[in-house]
Amino acid sequence: MIAPTKFRLASAMPVLVLVGLCVVISLIEPRFLSLDNLIRIAAASTAPLMLALGVTFVIIMGSIDLSVEGAMAFSSAVLAAGVANAANTGLNLGLAALPLVVLGTALFGALVGFIHVFLKVPSFMASLGMSFIGLGMATVLLGGERVVITDPYVRALTLTRVLDLPIAIYVAAIMFLAAWVIENHTIFGRHVYALGGAEHLVVASGVNANRVRVLAFALSGFFIGVGSILASARLGASSVSIGSGQLFTAISAIVVGGTALSGGSGGVASTLVGVLIVMVLNNGMVIVGLPTFVQQGVLGVMIIIAVLLNQRNRVLPVVK
Amino acid sequence: MFIRNFLNQSMIDRRRFLIGSSLGVGALAASGGQWPAAAASGYSLASSIRSLSNAFHAAWNKGSEAFATSVGEHYQALVTEGNSEKGLTDIKALLAKVGDKTILAVDPNDSPDARPIVEAVAAAKGRVVTVWNKPDDLHPWDFGDNYVAHLSFSGVPAGEQTAKALFDTFGGEGGIVALGGIPSNVSAIQRKAGLQKALAANSKIKLLDFQDADWDSTKATNIVAAWLTRFGGDIKGVWAANDSMAVGALEALRAEGLAGKVLVSGTDGTKDAVQAIKNKEMAATVDWDPLWIGGITLSLGYHAATGKFKPSDESRAHREFYGTGALITQADVEDYWKKHVEATPTIDWNDLWGRLSGQITYN
């Protein structure tokens, strides 16, 4: 019975990598494990975790969502319009603006799903196209400026601490739980897995696959909306480039966590581990004092190793 | 008439935020802002720039529009979206349409792009002024009167001046950390060289660490957070190669209650950075005045075309030159705010050489 053991080892691998990283970094620089630093890592992880959670559902389904940067820009611009900002042009809705922003981004995601499903555009092109549309809309709304958000409620997400932790961390924790429940305890969650595993069987058993697909993209948009609010709160501003580089962070975190890009496996818990690996690495490499060009190389190597580990014992006939 | 004046004013105001009242104006600006010229003599003015989605090029575009409006000529923005091919194709299409009536200001997407652009404009007998990027061996004086001038800004004084202003905020003794841009960018290299010059002249300042944050706010926030773990209270100041990173660094400090205690310096003169200087949270930035760049480059081309001056008769210092960046510190920020943020500065587009700071030198 060797195969099952290997299988278990492979799925525990990301956790072992995370623990291993923490041990190595703290041996070199003990301050890495200080409470302050762990809170810093957690705070830095909140927005990337939200983005990665949303995209995880789409990837499990076997599609991909490349709209992260545009959806974030769009959502950030809507946020600036809805709350008090330094340009005095916001609607000043305060907290009421937040559900509007998240809903708006969910609609944005649903639109990606519609284009993908009903116009039969491959998901990577539909989402990439919508990403550019999102960037364009944000550009018009923000006029190319970085607009400072002055709304005290939004800023409180990062600046106010409850029991030593910024509120953003609690928000991220609640959102993670919600994603976990959706994944494991709803019919929709099961359908997402089934679609990624064998779509024709799902359709044959009478599931409305189109509906599930659109919903998954809308859910992705929902989480990107939350991520965008957290990122804007952290930067204290809305900007077209709020999402720059975040697509790469999200996808690499998902892959490093052990969710296969081919769909049907992995999950939000793996994504949490993946995000933590990437953020611990980013934080740890600065603390240890590695030069920037080495840091980028280390991250690239980590991603390739993660993909290798994820292949488990499976023999792939073709790789493309 | 009232509407037209309002639109003109909105277009010229570089600080206008488009959400709300001026949304319609934004759409007009994005489409190139074309309206009938009052006394057109048939010239077609254009600025080829990366995009309208960053504050720098958006302000550039407004400067170009302001100049075109002042002489009553047709103007359009050609947007490359970071694509060199698209940049060149759009310029060739314009040349095919208006030929020797073309007056072009261009921020080449990449240095090598400047050569085919200049050659195409020269072949059509139009006028071109390049900004920031060009190969070192491409010179305006090799193209007679068609390649009017090249304008650039040296990042060395900017990096040095902002560093010195930063050092002054903590009495010139202690440790700083520094955030660089994309390491291969000329401006990142120059600004870092400026920082190093300032460090060499201040032996009591120690550079604790230098990391490249690739001009990115989020990266800057995360790096500064990690530095706080590594160096803690040893950090007396944070130097950043541009304002996006400076603002990101400032937010990392704010999350730890250190904003205003540990100061940050940047470069580019973005509005939020100027506001942070006003709030005594940032030490300094340098304003390149893209509004001026957008107008003066077209003004140079226009005045060369209309015969106000003959480029080939001018000295080389009038063909390849550095503009002047304005250092903004806490001492003069209130004055700057009144003149440049609350009001839109009136710029004399006929003063072609007033803001030069020397001929460009090559290593």
Side-chain angles (χ1 to χ4, degrees), chain A residues 69-80:
Chain A
E69 300 190 358
M72 274 186 88
F74 166 73
S75 149
S76 181
V78 174
L79 177 69

Side-chain angles (χ1 to χ4, degrees), chain A residues 37 40 89 144 146 155 244, chain B residues 17 55 216 229 244 251 256 272:
Chain A
N37 194 52
R40 281 168 196 145
T89 47
R146 203 168 36 231
R155 292 300 276 140
S244 93
Chain B
F17 176 48
D216 187 88
T229 301
S244 297
E251 290 310 319
E256 311 274 341
D272 48 357

